[in-house]
Amino acid sequence: MKKSTNNVKRINNYAPMMIPPIMTFPVVGVTLPKDQTFLCTKNTCSVILDQLEPRTSGSYRCEISGDAPEFKLISETGNMTIAALPRHDPIITGVNHSYEDGDFLLANCTSDMSSPPAMLSWYINDEKAPPEYLQPLRETTMESDGFQLRFRSLELRFHVDKARHAIVRNSMRLKCLARVEQIPAATRESSIVVYITSQDDLTNQKLINYWTNSGHRKFTATPHLYVSLALLVCLMLATR
């Protein structure tokens, strides 16, 4: 098997008629387990790679050739990319618990570190946020174990509009999606629900608070009250 980047480098060689039949060759970024048992037959040969790192990425080619005098050669090539995937869901910050209709809402989403970096998207009630709601993407880079790890932040800004944002039951769901390109299984997401109130809702709430705080109590009829009212009615009829 050979690894191909700028130049082709041989990783191992299997020749059943040679002693030893299997030979390995040092290649930067390619580590074979010390106790590896090669599963090689006259038809197949398997290789296990260990301690994967960014330099392990590249094209790998398997070549099969025949014995003399024909030396027929066939080969197949496959590409491998080593990625450091995000371990945690994105973090949403800056969001209040509730807003009034027409308020300005600001939310920030930050992805976990990864290589390649995650692509961030905002959704409002499962509808993708329009581009005019989004601020320029910010990115921070740090190095770890040979990887250039990056995390990104995407800010969402807009005025709450109950009609436009299809707000149902006075709640709105904000979702941030962090997707690593070409690796769907690495997709992560976070969401938060905020409550939206209108002016009518606030007026009704103020009336309820006023009624409660002013000492008014709900009128509740009791059996004793019913008896007292009945006696009062009888007295009024008797005096006529």
Side-chain angles (χ1 to χ4, degrees), residues 15-88:
M17 303 302 294
M18 295 180 61
I19 299 177
I22 297 176
M23 298 181 63
T24 60
F25 306 89
V27 177
V28 175
V30 177
T31 302
L32 303 177
K34 294 180 180 180
D35 57 348
Q36 174 166 210
T37 300
F38 290 91
L39 303 176
C40 293
T41 67
K42 63 179 181 179
N43 297 318
T44 63
C45 191
S46 300
V47 176
I48 297 175
L49 303 184
D50 195 12
Q51 301 178 25
L52 304 181
E53 56 167 287
R55 293 179 297 180
T56 312
S57 299
S59 297
Y60 289 79
R61 185 169 79 242
C62 177
E63 295 180 351
I64 301 176
S65 60
D67 294 330
E70 295 185 2
F71 292 107
K72 290 183 178 179
L73 178 69
I74 60 173
S75 65
E76 287 288 342
T77 301
N79 295 318
M80 181 170 64
T81 300
I82 306 303
L85 303 180
R87 297 181 179 180
H88 305 287

Side-chain angles (χ1 to χ4, degrees), residues 81 83 85 116-117 119 179-187:
T81 300
L85 303 180
M119 304 296 295
R179 179 178 56 86
V180 179
E181 193 172 4
Q182 298 181 351
I183 311 178
T187 300

Side-chain angles (χ1 to χ4, degrees), residues 157-171:
R157 296 182 179 184
F158 65 96
H159 287 279
V160 177
D161 187 329
K162 294 184 71 172
R164 179 177 181 181
H165 300 135
I167 296 173
V168 180
R169 296 181 181 177
N170 291 339
S171 65

Side-chain angles (χ1 to χ4, degrees), residues 9-200:
K9 297 180 180 179
R10 187 183 299 270
I11 298 173
N12 77 318
N13 185 77
Y14 172 67
M17 303 302 294
M18 295 180 61
I19 299 177
I22 297 176
M23 298 181 63
T24 60
F25 306 89
V27 177
V28 175
V30 177
T31 302
L32 303 177
K34 294 180 180 180
D35 57 348
Q36 174 166 210
T37 300
F38 290 91
L39 303 176
C40 293
T41 67
K42 63 179 181 179
N43 297 318
T44 63
C45 191
S46 300
V47 176
I48 297 175
L49 303 184
D50 195 12
Q51 301 178 25
L52 304 181
E53 56 167 287
R55 293 179 297 180
T56 312
S57 299
S59 297
Y60 289 79
R61 185 169 79 242
C62 177
E63 295 180 351
I64 301 176
S65 60
D67 294 330
E70 295 185 2
F71 292 107
K72 290 183 178 179
L73 178 69
I74 60 173
S75 65
E76 287 288 342
T77 301
N79 295 318
M80 181 170 64
T81 300
I82 306 303
L85 303 180
R87 297 181 179 180
H88 305 287
D89 294 335
I91 298 175
I92 297 176
T93 57
V95 184
N96 295 329
H97 177 70
S98 62
Y99 294 85
E100 292 183 29
D101 191 19
D103 277 354
F104 185 74
L105 186 149
L106 185 151
N108 188 72
C109 177
T110 302
S111 68
D112 191 18
M113 295 181 296
S114 65
S115 177
M119 304 296 295
L120 295 177
S121 302
W122 273 107
Y123 291 82
I124 303 173
N125 287 337
D126 294 326
E127 294 289 336
K128 195 168 185 178
E132 60 268 24
Y133 285 12
L134 306 177
Q135 298 300 302
L137 190 72
R138 292 175 295 169
E139 183 176 282
T140 303
T141 304
M142 64 176 295
E143 186 173 347
S144 177
D145 297 327
F147 287 93
Q148 290 292 322
L149 300 177
R150 289 175 283 178
F151 61 88
R152 290 174 167 176
S153 295
L154 183 62
E155 194 171 78
L156 178 72
R157 296 182 179 184
F158 65 96
H159 287 279
V160 177
D161 187 329
K162 294 184 71 172
R164 179 177 181 181
H165 300 135
I167 296 173
V168 180
R169 296 181 181 177
N170 291 339
S171 65
M172 179 171 62
R173 181 170 178 257
L174 303 177
K175 180 176 70 175
C176 178
L177 198 70
R179 179 178 56 86
V180 179
E181 193 172 4
Q182 298 181 351
I183 311 178
T187 300
R188 289 184 171 271
E189 67 176 65
S190 293
S191 63
I192 187 171
V193 175
V194 298
Y195 296 93
I196 311 301
T197 57
S198 64
Q199 192 60 42
D200 291 339

